[in-house]
Amino acid sequence: MSIVTRERRSWTVREDQLLRNAVEKGMSSTDPGNPTPSKWHAIAKHVPNRTNKDCRKRWFAKMASDVVKGGWAPDEDERLMKGIERYGTRWSLVASIVQSRNSDQCAKRWTDTLNPAIDRTSWAPEADEQLIQAVNQYGKVWTRIVRMYFPGRTGLSAKNRYVSITDL
């Protein structure tokens, strides 16, 4: 069995326009007034050499809204929480509720900051030692390190702790 890998390629201005046109056509014909398209297989037929997943990800990441960069406002956090209550971790749907952020931003904000399951306790000296040893062994692969040694903590908190105790 062979695994087919696809080469990543940038979207062109023409492809973006084809996607925009297909989404407009798809939204008006399926559910007028719904700002979130759902017929991605049909939409992708209008954008040559792009899959339904390509189109969906491009739409929610770059085109569905004016994506804000930088710090999150309290009302964005509220919308994120409502989106998660409604859709769980289906990030493109959550982003459609937040409106000002894309799916990747929503996922990162939840997993690094807002998830109530995050371990926010102080780092013990033994944990600091273990963190340094783990980085020496695995490198700065924060997700792997927290999964193996610090369940409940985030990769971001491990990275920040490492930087603060090693002055790097």
Side-chain angles (χ1 to χ4, degrees):
M1 180 175 161
S2 67
I3 297 174
V4 177
T5 57
R6 290 186 343 138
E7 183 180 318
R8 224 180 217 195
R9 59 187 177 84
S10 298
W11 280 71
T12 66
V13 172
R14 182 177 186 288
E15 287 175 319
D16 279 345
Q17 190 57 53
L18 289 171
L19 177 59
R20 212 174 271 110
N21 294 344
V23 167
E24 285 173 17
K25 193 182 300 181
M27 284 193 308
S28 62
S29 65
T30 57
D31 188 7
N34 178 5
T36 307
S38 60
K39 310 282 187 204
W40 291 109
H41 286 283
I43 290 168
K45 289 178 182 173
H46 299 283
V47 187
N49 302 314
R50 294 293 183 175
T51 66
N52 61 310
K53 184 176 179 181
D54 292 337
C55 292
R56 178 179 49 82
K57 289 186 88 169
R58 179 67 174 181
W59 181 257
F60 285 114
K62 303 289 183 193
M63 303 172 80
S65 64
D66 295 324
V67 176
V68 174
K69 294 185 178 177
W72 283 64
D75 63 309
E76 289 178 308
D77 282 343
E78 284 177 34
R79 292 192 305 269
L80 176 61
M81 299 292 277
K82 284 180 183 158
I84 288 169
E85 283 174 24
R86 186 169 176 183
Y87 295 116
T89 56
R90 294 167 60 195
W91 296 117
S92 58
L93 295 174
V94 171
S96 73
I97 299 294
V98 176
Q99 294 183 327
S100 56
R101 302 291 179 150
N102 67 35
S103 56
D104 290 338
Q105 289 172 306
C106 291
K108 189 167 179 52
R109 179 69 171 171
W110 175 255
T111 57
D112 287 347
T113 309
L114 295 180
N115 185 341
I118 295 171
D119 178 356
R120 290 177 168 60
T121 59
S122 297
W123 287 78
E126 304 80 42
D128 288 345
E129 251 336 285
Q130 191 174 33
L131 178 61
I132 291 168
Q133 289 173 5
V135 171
N136 289 340
Q137 184 174 358
Y138 298 107
K140 296 176 181 176
V141 187
W142 305 115
T143 304
R144 181 178 186 185
I145 290 170
V146 296
R147 195 179 312 121
M148 291 175 68
Y149 298 102
F150 308 104
R153 294 212 187 259
T154 66
L156 181 62
S157 75
K159 181 190 90 163
N160 289 345
R161 183 62 181 177
Y162 181 78
V163 169
S164 74
I165 62 177
T166 60
D167 297 317
L168 294 179

